Amino acid sequence: MAKTYKIAVIPGDGTGPEVIGEAVKVLQTAANKFKFKTDLTTFDFGGERYQRTGETLPDSAIEELRKFDAILLGAIGHPDVAPGILEKGILLKARFELDQYINLRPVRLYPGVETPLKNKGPQDIDFVVIRENTGDAYTGTGGVTMKGTPHEVAVQSAVYTRFQVDRCLKYAFEYARKFGKKARGRGEKNTLALCGKTNVLTYIYGLWERAFHEMGQARYPDITREYYHVDATCMWFVKNPEWFDVIVTGNMFGDIITDLAAITQGGLGIAAGGNINPEGVSMFEPMGGSAPKYTGKNVINPLAAICAGAMMLDTLGETAAAKAVEDAVMWTTANKVRNLAAGQMGYSTTEVGDLVANKVAG
Ligand code: IPM
Ligand code: MN
């Protein structure tokens, strides 16, 4: 009997519903082709619902989301809602409550896609960032006193526990062993690089560095270990992206370096991420925001959402279907959509979805 995956779909705000529509189209084509079924349930969490009801992501919704095999998310962010409310109330709440402790960000320049990096091509821009997704400055530890006075004090603490660091490192080492450059036939070794700031954040990145080497020495001697400060990482991402294979880092640095990495792979039209709980429910999303000014115009690029769908399939164990979708995206960028920017693709949102879906259908 065909396997059925229960998938929660949260289209969200702005152009979220448009890109999710195309991701679902491709998903369903892949399901037909690869003989599995999807059982989709759509949730209306986002800015509109918040304005109507004052609710972001209620606790009852978290309990409901736990029952799904995966979550596909469009975009969160509404021009009439103050920054922070929806991000914290929906996106970060889901990540934290569902303990999605890995943020997986593949950075791959697909054929035909323009990169702002001079003289770099798909051979050079091909690495993965594993961002810890539950700790650091994101925990909300801190506060403000004497607010509004000249003596106002604001504290926002970066927090890491050994447990958080170890479980993230374990995922990263395992990932490097399975999908590093050697494992993929792209190099002579599998490398895991820790990106930190051991020269200033001596407590937090001291912990990361010790845990990194201890675990690597004891259990992953086959994986080459490297270390880069975060500021240097930014330089090398631009100058020598080909040096990188798998990179592991904390939540805040991961947030920043993955935007830099995204622009080198063609920007937010193509960059996708997975919020992964290896033991629970994971959530996949295009990295771009809700892009309100393009809403309803059928011009936004759906490829990032489609790639998020491919990552979801991969995580669900439908690896052949995931590869077919990624290959179809690569075919689309190589042969059809040469400019990934909204409104400049030469095709509408739905046409791009059709191109990918038809290629998957074969
Ligand atoms: C991301 C985003 C989020 C983050 C925001 C929207 C809260 O920038 O997924 O990278 O900072 O994690
Ligand atoms: Mn970010």
Side-chain angles (χ1 to χ4, degrees), residues 95 103 131 138 251-252 254-256 258-259 287:
R95 288 178 182 172
N103 192 318
R131 163 186 173 189
Y138 278 73
N251 206 347
M252 190 77 253
D255 179 46
I256 297 164
T258 55
D259 264 29
M287 281 201 35

Side-chain angles (χ1 to χ4, degrees), residues 246-266:
V246 183
I247 300 155
V248 64
T249 189
N251 206 347
M252 190 77 253
F253 293 165
D255 179 46
I256 297 164
I257 68 171
T258 55
D259 264 29
L260 175 57
I263 202 70
T264 70
Q265 70 178 126

